[in-house]
Amino acid sequence: MSTFLVVDDDLASCRALRLHFRSQGHEARIAHNAAEGLAVRDEFVPDMIILDVRMPGRSGLDALPDFKRAFPGTHVLIVTAFHDMESTIQAMSRGADDYIQKPIDLDELDAAVAKAMRYADDESRDGLVVFPEAPGHNPDNMAGHSRVMQDVFKTIGLAASSRATVLITGESGTGKELVARAIHRAGPNSSGPFVAVNCAALVESLLESDMFGHEKGAFTGAVVRHIGKFAMANHGTMFLDEVSQLSRTIQGKLLRVLQEKEFVPLGAQETQTTDARFIAATNVDLSGCVRDGSFREDLYYRLQVISVCLPPLRDRKEDIPDLVQTLLARINREMRRHVWRVDRQVLRCFQAYDWPGNVRELENVLMRAVALCRADVITCDLLSDKMCSAPARLRTFVEPQAQWRLRDVEKVHVLRVLESTGWHRGRACEILGISRPRLRRIIRQYGIAVPAGAAEEPDGREDDSQEP
Ligand SMILES: Nc1ncnc2c1ncn2[C@@H]1O[C@H](COP(=O)(O)OP(=O)(O)OP(=O)(O)O)[C@@H](O)[C@H]1O
Ligand SMILES: [Mg+2]
């Protein structure tokens, strides 16, 4: 059995295709425009996409590159009533497998499907996805085509051209240091050094001398003069990682460096100046630290002249194929390997997994898989059990039928959203545009079975009897 995704605004055509595929024992899902089709990505990966060209919103041709990115290894068949050479060329050059005319001749369709699938069998046995090696592609670049990452790249570009202080926030492993380096590389100080200091790594006194430097004899054990990182970063970039961990004393001194571009090494008489550009990163909510008094408010505002917020990987899973390609390029280079083939089921597991460790976790998973894989193919047996079991949660939902009651549609949709978010109620409410109490009531009212391990925290049980 294969799974098909039909993306077409013409209802009759969709229905006819679904009947046709089902009669052959396949499963077919319907989407009526490009955005709906792309959204399917969170639920399942089709073997083949039948994509119409003229649709309200984005045309199939425009959206084709996004479909290829969202579903790497899935075949795309373009169909259109408006047949011309120009669009055929465009479709094929953008990665379509074939191009057929409407009204669809079912024999022609079957032949095109068989051809694409056979090609798949020869080219990449058993649903392997072959990532292009992309010569000239720099593995140190940041990957990601999602809208949020495009925004991040834009901010990096804007930030780089100024010398303003930047605050980068994001969960651990989302790429904060990579962003800091990218800003440095693209900025006017790129020929100068990039100096990083981890504000959490050292005890306060050591950290202070590490940052500011010290004179010989400044304290017991200061047997030689030590150049601090602020001095080293002169004409370059100073990266303050985990900045929330700084003590109040050092926060005060840092504020002065930022304001006056001056500092005094421990035990020194003279002030020194630095024209380093400052970039700070944190994985905790710094405004919360300001509220609870552990972080100075004036320093907070001084740091976040420009802010870059990196979303967790689970909120931009459309970046996973891109990331896999970039990370494989890097890992292959480091390990002197040539692993470019990945079982499609592995990508399904990646899409379904929650990635608490973000991109770093993905990198580690791939590194381990590359180290252990035979025949240069990454297969599911190289992943941990917790990652492989995730797709079991995903099921293929039935399309609403014309004879369904509204409440049936609501129930199925709420369930679908809950499952696609891994029963994360906050995110589900955001998507559905409803309040927590309302979601709770729907779950109760429709008797939706809550899976083990997804029970709601008891403190979330506020009285919702008044809620509309
Ligand atoms: N968009 C991306 N493209 C390619 N590689 C990425 C991307 N984002 C992160 N990485 C890689 O993931 C790893 C973790 O990134 P990085 O160290 O920058 O994260 P971080 O946010 O600083 O994490 P922490 O808070 O734990 O210090 C690095 O190896 C980095 O190269
Ligand atoms: Mg870091």
Side-chain angles (χ1 to χ4, degrees), residues 47-72:
D47 298 300
M48 183 150 208
I49 300 169
I50 315 285
L51 186 59
D52 185 31
V53 172
R54 298 240 173 139
M55 290 183 286
R58 290 173 79 196
S59 85
L61 279 186
D62 281 348
L64 179 55
D66 287 347
F67 276 95
K68 294 300 289 182
R69 266 197 295 274
F71 304 99

PDB file of all heavy atoms in Angstrom, residues 47-72:
ATOM      1  N   ASP A  47       3.902   8.883   0.026  1.00  0.00           N
ATOM      2  CA  ASP A  47       4.874   8.350  -0.931  1.00  0.00           C
ATOM      3  C   ASP A  47       4.852   9.170  -2.205  1.00  0.00           C
ATOM      4  O   ASP A  47       5.838   9.243  -2.921  1.00  0.00           O
ATOM      5  CB  ASP A  47       4.533   6.896  -1.264  1.00  0.00           C
ATOM      6  CG  ASP A  47       4.613   6.038  -0.015  1.00  0.00           C
ATOM      7  OD1 ASP A  47       5.705   5.983   0.565  1.00  0.00           O
ATOM      8  OD2 ASP A  47       3.585   5.463   0.393  1.00  0.00           O
ATOM      9  N   MET A  48       3.664   9.758  -2.485  1.00  0.00           N
ATOM     10  CA  MET A  48       3.576  10.546  -3.705  1.00  0.00           C
ATOM     11  C   MET A  48       2.585  11.694  -3.527  1.00  0.00           C
ATOM     12  O   MET A  48       1.555  11.524  -2.883  1.00  0.00           O
ATOM     13  CB  MET A  48       3.117   9.640  -4.844  1.00  0.00           C
ATOM     14  CG  MET A  48       3.055  10.341  -6.156  1.00  0.00           C
ATOM     15  SD  MET A  48       3.375   9.142  -7.431  1.00  0.00           S
ATOM     16  CE  MET A  48       4.073  10.127  -8.680  1.00  0.00           C
ATOM     17  N   ILE A  49       2.920  12.834  -4.110  1.00  0.00           N
ATOM     18  CA  ILE A  49       2.030  13.995  -4.046  1.00  0.00           C
ATOM     19  C   ILE A  49       1.542  14.304  -5.452  1.00  0.00           C
ATOM     20  O   ILE A  49       2.345  14.367  -6.383  1.00  0.00           O
ATOM     21  CB  ILE A  49       2.773  15.216  -3.478  1.00  0.00           C
ATOM     22  CG1 ILE A  49       3.288  14.921  -2.065  1.00  0.00           C
ATOM     23  CG2 ILE A  49       1.874  16.450  -3.467  1.00  0.00           C
ATOM     24  CD1 ILE A  49       4.258  15.948  -1.527  1.00  0.00           C
ATOM     25  N   ILE A  50       0.222  14.447  -5.590  1.00  0.00           N
ATOM     26  CA  ILE A  50      -0.349  14.850  -6.870  1.00  0.00           C
ATOM     27  C   ILE A  50      -0.704  16.323  -6.701  1.00  0.00           C
ATOM     28  O   ILE A  50      -1.572  16.673  -5.895  1.00  0.00           O
ATOM     29  CB  ILE A  50      -1.647  14.055  -7.186  1.00  0.00           C
ATOM     30  CG1 ILE A  50      -1.472  12.559  -6.898  1.00  0.00           C
ATOM     31  CG2 ILE A  50      -2.128  14.334  -8.598  1.00  0.00           C
ATOM     32  CD1 ILE A  50      -0.657  11.797  -7.877  1.00  0.00           C
ATOM     33  N   LEU A  51      -0.034  17.180  -7.422  1.00  0.00           N
ATOM     34  CA  LEU A  51      -0.121  18.620  -7.148  1.00  0.00           C
ATOM     35  C   LEU A  51      -0.702  19.365  -8.346  1.00  0.00           C
ATOM     36  O   LEU A  51      -0.159  19.315  -9.454  1.00  0.00           O
ATOM     37  CB  LEU A  51       1.297  19.127  -6.840  1.00  0.00           C
ATOM     38  CG  LEU A  51       1.492  20.564  -6.390  1.00  0.00           C
ATOM     39  CD1 LEU A  51       0.714  20.852  -5.117  1.00  0.00           C
ATOM     40  CD2 LEU A  51       2.985  20.829  -6.144  1.00  0.00           C
ATOM     41  N   ASP A  52      -1.802  20.060  -8.091  1.00  0.00           N
ATOM     42  CA  ASP A  52      -2.447  20.851  -9.135  1.00  0.00           C
ATOM     43  C   ASP A  52      -1.689  22.174  -9.291  1.00  0.00           C
ATOM     44  O   ASP A  52      -1.082  22.668  -8.339  1.00  0.00           O
ATOM     45  CB  ASP A  52      -3.896  21.129  -8.697  1.00  0.00           C
ATOM     46  CG  ASP A  52      -4.691  21.838  -9.777  1.00  0.00           C
ATOM     47  OD1 ASP A  52      -4.404  21.619 -10.969  1.00  0.00           O
ATOM     48  OD2 ASP A  52      -5.603  22.617  -9.417  1.00  0.00           O
ATOM     49  N   VAL A  53      -1.717  22.764 -10.480  1.00  0.00           N
ATOM     50  CA  VAL A  53      -0.984  24.022 -10.678  1.00  0.00           C
ATOM     51  C   VAL A  53      -1.824  25.227 -10.276  1.00  0.00           C
ATOM     52  O   VAL A  53      -1.439  26.011  -9.417  1.00  0.00           O
ATOM     53  CB  VAL A  53      -0.505  24.160 -12.131  1.00  0.00           C
ATOM     54  CG1 VAL A  53       0.067  25.552 -12.375  1.00  0.00           C
ATOM     55  CG2 VAL A  53       0.561  23.116 -12.428  1.00  0.00           C
ATOM     56  N   ARG A  54      -3.017  25.367 -10.881  1.00  0.00           N
ATOM     57  CA  ARG A  54      -3.823  26.566 -10.577  1.00  0.00           C
ATOM     58  C   ARG A  54      -4.702  26.325  -9.372  1.00  0.00           C
ATOM     59  O   ARG A  54      -5.620  25.505  -9.418  1.00  0.00           O
ATOM     60  CB  ARG A  54      -4.725  26.900 -11.765  1.00  0.00           C
ATOM     61  CG  ARG A  54      -3.941  27.213 -13.002  1.00  0.00           C
ATOM     62  CD  ARG A  54      -4.231  28.606 -13.492  1.00  0.00           C
ATOM     63  NE  ARG A  54      -3.310  28.876 -14.586  1.00  0.00           N
ATOM     64  CZ  ARG A  54      -3.639  29.498 -15.702  1.00  0.00           C
ATOM     65  NH1 ARG A  54      -4.864  29.941 -15.864  1.00  0.00           N
ATOM     66  NH2 ARG A  54      -2.743  29.711 -16.638  1.00  0.00           N
ATOM     67  N   MET A  55      -4.384  27.025  -8.315  1.00  0.00           N
ATOM     68  CA  MET A  55      -5.199  26.915  -7.095  1.00  0.00           C
ATOM     69  C   MET A  55      -5.307  28.309  -6.507  1.00  0.00           C
ATOM     70  O   MET A  55      -4.416  29.134  -6.732  1.00  0.00           O
ATOM     71  CB  MET A  55      -4.512  26.004  -6.070  1.00  0.00           C
ATOM     72  CG  MET A  55      -4.484  24.556  -6.463  1.00  0.00           C
ATOM     73  SD  MET A  55      -3.741  23.540  -5.160  1.00  0.00           S
ATOM     74  CE  MET A  55      -2.028  23.938  -5.294  1.00  0.00           C
ATOM     75  N   PRO A  56      -6.354  28.568  -5.727  1.00  0.00           N
ATOM     76  CA  PRO A  56      -6.394  29.855  -5.031  1.00  0.00           C
ATOM     77  C   PRO A  56      -5.214  29.926  -4.059  1.00  0.00           C
ATOM     78  O   PRO A  56      -4.794  28.881  -3.537  1.00  0.00           O
ATOM     79  CB  PRO A  56      -7.715  29.808  -4.251  1.00  0.00           C
ATOM     80  CG  PRO A  56      -8.363  28.516  -4.563  1.00  0.00           C
ATOM     81  CD  PRO A  56      -7.504  27.713  -5.449  1.00  0.00           C
ATOM     82  N   GLY A  57      -4.680  31.096  -3.822  1.00  0.00           N
ATOM     83  CA  GLY A  57      -3.470  31.202  -2.991  1.00  0.00           C
ATOM     84  C   GLY A  57      -2.271  30.910  -3.878  1.00  0.00           C
ATOM     85  O   GLY A  57      -2.248  31.290  -5.039  1.00  0.00           O
ATOM     86  N   ARG A  58      -1.314  30.161  -3.335  1.00  0.00           N
ATOM     87  CA  ARG A  58      -0.110  29.890  -4.129  1.00  0.00           C
ATOM     88  C   ARG A  58      -0.363  28.822  -5.174  1.00  0.00           C
ATOM     89  O   ARG A  58      -1.079  27.858  -4.936  1.00  0.00           O
ATOM     90  CB  ARG A  58       1.005  29.407  -3.203  1.00  0.00           C
ATOM     91  CG  ARG A  58       1.515  30.496  -2.323  1.00  0.00           C
ATOM     92  CD  ARG A  58       2.470  29.915  -1.342  1.00  0.00           C
ATOM     93  NE  ARG A  58       3.778  29.700  -1.940  1.00  0.00           N
ATOM     94  CZ  ARG A  58       4.707  28.914  -1.395  1.00  0.00           C
ATOM     95  NH1 ARG A  58       4.443  28.263  -0.303  1.00  0.00           N
ATOM     96  NH2 ARG A  58       5.876  28.799  -1.958  1.00  0.00           N
ATOM     97  N   SER A  59       0.250  29.011  -6.329  1.00  0.00           N
ATOM     98  CA  SER A  59       0.094  27.996  -7.360  1.00  0.00           C
ATOM     99  C   SER A  59       0.965  26.793  -7.007  1.00  0.00           C
ATOM    100  O   SER A  59       1.926  26.899  -6.228  1.00  0.00           O
ATOM    101  CB  SER A  59       0.518  28.558  -8.713  1.00  0.00           C
ATOM    102  OG  SER A  59       1.914  28.434  -8.867  1.00  0.00           O
ATOM    103  N   GLY A  60       0.606  25.645  -7.592  1.00  0.00           N
ATOM    104  CA  GLY A  60       1.373  24.431  -7.336  1.00  0.00           C
ATOM    105  C   GLY A  60       2.827  24.592  -7.741  1.00  0.00           C
ATOM    106  O   GLY A  60       3.728  24.078  -7.073  1.00  0.00           O
ATOM    107  N   LEU A  61       3.066  25.334  -8.824  1.00  0.00           N
ATOM    108  CA  LEU A  61       4.453  25.518  -9.283  1.00  0.00           C
ATOM    109  C   LEU A  61       5.256  26.328  -8.270  1.00  0.00           C
ATOM    110  O   LEU A  61       6.402  26.010  -7.973  1.00  0.00           O
ATOM    111  CB  LEU A  61       4.479  26.242 -10.628  1.00  0.00           C
ATOM    112  CG  LEU A  61       4.226  25.386 -11.865  1.00  0.00           C
ATOM    113  CD1 LEU A  61       4.420  26.223 -13.119  1.00  0.00           C
ATOM    114  CD2 LEU A  61       5.136  24.174 -11.885  1.00  0.00           C
ATOM    115  N   ASP A  62       4.626  27.382  -7.748  1.00  0.00           N
ATOM    116  CA  ASP A  62       5.321  28.209  -6.746  1.00  0.00           C
ATOM    117  C   ASP A  62       5.646  27.394  -5.504  1.00  0.00           C
ATOM    118  O   ASP A  62       6.700  27.549  -4.897  1.00  0.00           O
ATOM    119  CB  ASP A  62       4.436  29.382  -6.298  1.00  0.00           C
ATOM    120  CG  ASP A  62       4.469  30.489  -7.322  1.00  0.00           C
ATOM    121  OD1 ASP A  62       5.329  30.425  -8.217  1.00  0.00           O
ATOM    122  OD2 ASP A  62       3.613  31.401  -7.224  1.00  0.00           O
ATOM    123  N   ALA A  63       4.676  26.556  -5.114  1.00  0.00           N
ATOM    124  CA  ALA A  63       4.837  25.829  -3.853  1.00  0.00           C
ATOM    125  C   ALA A  63       5.700  24.579  -4.016  1.00  0.00           C
ATOM    126  O   ALA A  63       6.133  23.991  -3.032  1.00  0.00           O
ATOM    127  CB  ALA A  63       3.460  25.440  -3.305  1.00  0.00           C
ATOM    128  N   LEU A  64       5.968  24.185  -5.262  1.00  0.00           N
ATOM    129  CA  LEU A  64       6.690  22.925  -5.497  1.00  0.00           C
ATOM    130  C   LEU A  64       8.011  22.822  -4.720  1.00  0.00           C
ATOM    131  O   LEU A  64       8.263  21.805  -4.062  1.00  0.00           O
ATOM    132  CB  LEU A  64       6.907  22.756  -7.012  1.00  0.00           C
ATOM    133  CG  LEU A  64       7.657  21.519  -7.478  1.00  0.00           C
ATOM    134  CD1 LEU A  64       7.015  20.244  -6.958  1.00  0.00           C
ATOM    135  CD2 LEU A  64       7.729  21.481  -9.010  1.00  0.00           C
ATOM    136  N   PRO A  65       8.862  23.855  -4.742  1.00  0.00           N
ATOM    137  CA  PRO A  65      10.115  23.724  -3.983  1.00  0.00           C
ATOM    138  C   PRO A  65       9.868  23.488  -2.490  1.00  0.00           C
ATOM    139  O   PRO A  65      10.609  22.751  -1.848  1.00  0.00           O
ATOM    140  CB  PRO A  65      10.821  25.069  -4.210  1.00  0.00           C
ATOM    141  CG  PRO A  65      10.222  25.608  -5.467  1.00  0.00           C
ATOM    142  CD  PRO A  65       8.809  25.118  -5.496  1.00  0.00           C
ATOM    143  N   ASP A  66       8.793  24.100  -1.954  1.00  0.00           N
ATOM    144  CA  ASP A  66       8.490  23.887  -0.532  1.00  0.00           C
ATOM    145  C   ASP A  66       8.049  22.440  -0.277  1.00  0.00           C
ATOM    146  O   ASP A  66       8.373  21.858   0.748  1.00  0.00           O
ATOM    147  CB  ASP A  66       7.386  24.840  -0.062  1.00  0.00           C
ATOM    148  CG  ASP A  66       7.909  26.263   0.053  1.00  0.00           C
ATOM    149  OD1 ASP A  66       9.150  26.416   0.016  1.00  0.00           O
ATOM    150  OD2 ASP A  66       7.097  27.198   0.147  1.00  0.00           O
ATOM    151  N   PHE A  67       7.267  21.894  -1.227  1.00  0.00           N
ATOM    152  CA  PHE A  67       6.864  20.497  -1.069  1.00  0.00           C
ATOM    153  C   PHE A  67       8.083  19.582  -1.125  1.00  0.00           C
ATOM    154  O   PHE A  67       8.219  18.650  -0.343  1.00  0.00           O
ATOM    155  CB  PHE A  67       5.859  20.097  -2.159  1.00  0.00           C
ATOM    156  CG  PHE A  67       4.440  20.478  -1.825  1.00  0.00           C
ATOM    157  CD1 PHE A  67       3.891  21.661  -2.292  1.00  0.00           C
ATOM    158  CD2 PHE A  67       3.668  19.653  -1.017  1.00  0.00           C
ATOM    159  CE1 PHE A  67       2.596  22.029  -1.960  1.00  0.00           C
ATOM    160  CE2 PHE A  67       2.367  20.013  -0.682  1.00  0.00           C
ATOM    161  CZ  PHE A  67       1.829  21.207  -1.159  1.00  0.00           C
ATOM    162  N   LYS A  68       9.016  19.883  -2.016  1.00  0.00           N
ATOM    163  CA  LYS A  68      10.212  19.034  -2.120  1.00  0.00           C
ATOM    164  C   LYS A  68      11.039  19.106  -0.833  1.00  0.00           C
ATOM    165  O   LYS A  68      11.631  18.136  -0.416  1.00  0.00           O
ATOM    166  CB  LYS A  68      11.097  19.459  -3.311  1.00  0.00           C
ATOM    167  CG  LYS A  68      10.487  19.248  -4.676  1.00  0.00           C
ATOM    168  CD  LYS A  68      10.157  17.792  -4.965  1.00  0.00           C
ATOM    169  CE  LYS A  68      11.371  16.915  -5.173  1.00  0.00           C
ATOM    170  NZ  LYS A  68      10.977  15.510  -5.510  1.00  0.00           N
ATOM    171  N   ARG A  69      11.039  20.300  -0.240  1.00  0.00           N
ATOM    172  CA  ARG A  69      11.811  20.445   1.000  1.00  0.00           C
ATOM    173  C   ARG A  69      11.108  19.791   2.181  1.00  0.00           C
ATOM    174  O   ARG A  69      11.724  19.152   3.019  1.00  0.00           O
ATOM    175  CB  ARG A  69      12.026  21.926   1.324  1.00  0.00           C
ATOM    176  CG  ARG A  69      13.341  22.460   0.805  1.00  0.00           C
ATOM    177  CD  ARG A  69      13.693  23.747   1.477  1.00  0.00           C
ATOM    178  NE  ARG A  69      12.764  24.806   1.180  1.00  0.00           N
ATOM    179  CZ  ARG A  69      12.838  25.595   0.115  1.00  0.00           C
ATOM    180  NH1 ARG A  69      13.825  25.451  -0.734  1.00  0.00           N
ATOM    181  NH2 ARG A  69      11.959  26.535  -0.091  1.00  0.00           N
ATOM    182  N   ALA A  70       9.775  19.974   2.217  1.00  0.00           N
ATOM    183  CA  ALA A  70       9.024  19.440   3.359  1.00  0.00           C
ATOM    184  C   ALA A  70       8.945  17.913   3.305  1.00  0.00           C
ATOM    185  O   ALA A  70       8.879  17.259   4.334  1.00  0.00           O
ATOM    186  CB  ALA A  70       7.618  20.034   3.387  1.00  0.00           C
ATOM    187  N   PHE A  71       8.932  17.378   2.100  1.00  0.00           N
ATOM    188  CA  PHE A  71       8.818  15.920   1.950  1.00  0.00           C
ATOM    189  C   PHE A  71       9.964  15.417   1.079  1.00  0.00           C
ATOM    190  O   PHE A  71       9.752  15.024  -0.059  1.00  0.00           O
ATOM    191  CB  PHE A  71       7.489  15.557   1.278  1.00  0.00           C
ATOM    192  CG  PHE A  71       6.265  16.083   1.976  1.00  0.00           C
ATOM    193  CD1 PHE A  71       5.634  17.243   1.526  1.00  0.00           C
ATOM    194  CD2 PHE A  71       5.727  15.424   3.072  1.00  0.00           C
ATOM    195  CE1 PHE A  71       4.493  17.728   2.165  1.00  0.00           C
ATOM    196  CE2 PHE A  71       4.594  15.905   3.706  1.00  0.00           C
ATOM    197  CZ  PHE A  71       3.975  17.047   3.260  1.00  0.00           C
ATOM    198  N   PRO A  72      11.192  15.439   1.599  1.00  0.00           N
ATOM    199  CA  PRO A  72      12.291  15.004   0.747  1.00  0.00           C
ATOM    200  C   PRO A  72      12.105  13.528   0.423  1.00  0.00           C
ATOM    201  O   PRO A  72      11.700  12.760   1.278  1.00  0.00           O
ATOM    202  CB  PRO A  72      13.526  15.222   1.628  1.00  0.00           C
ATOM    203  CG  PRO A  72      13.026  15.276   3.015  1.00  0.00           C
ATOM    204  CD  PRO A  72      11.607  15.730   2.970  1.00  0.00           C
TER     205      PRO A  72
END
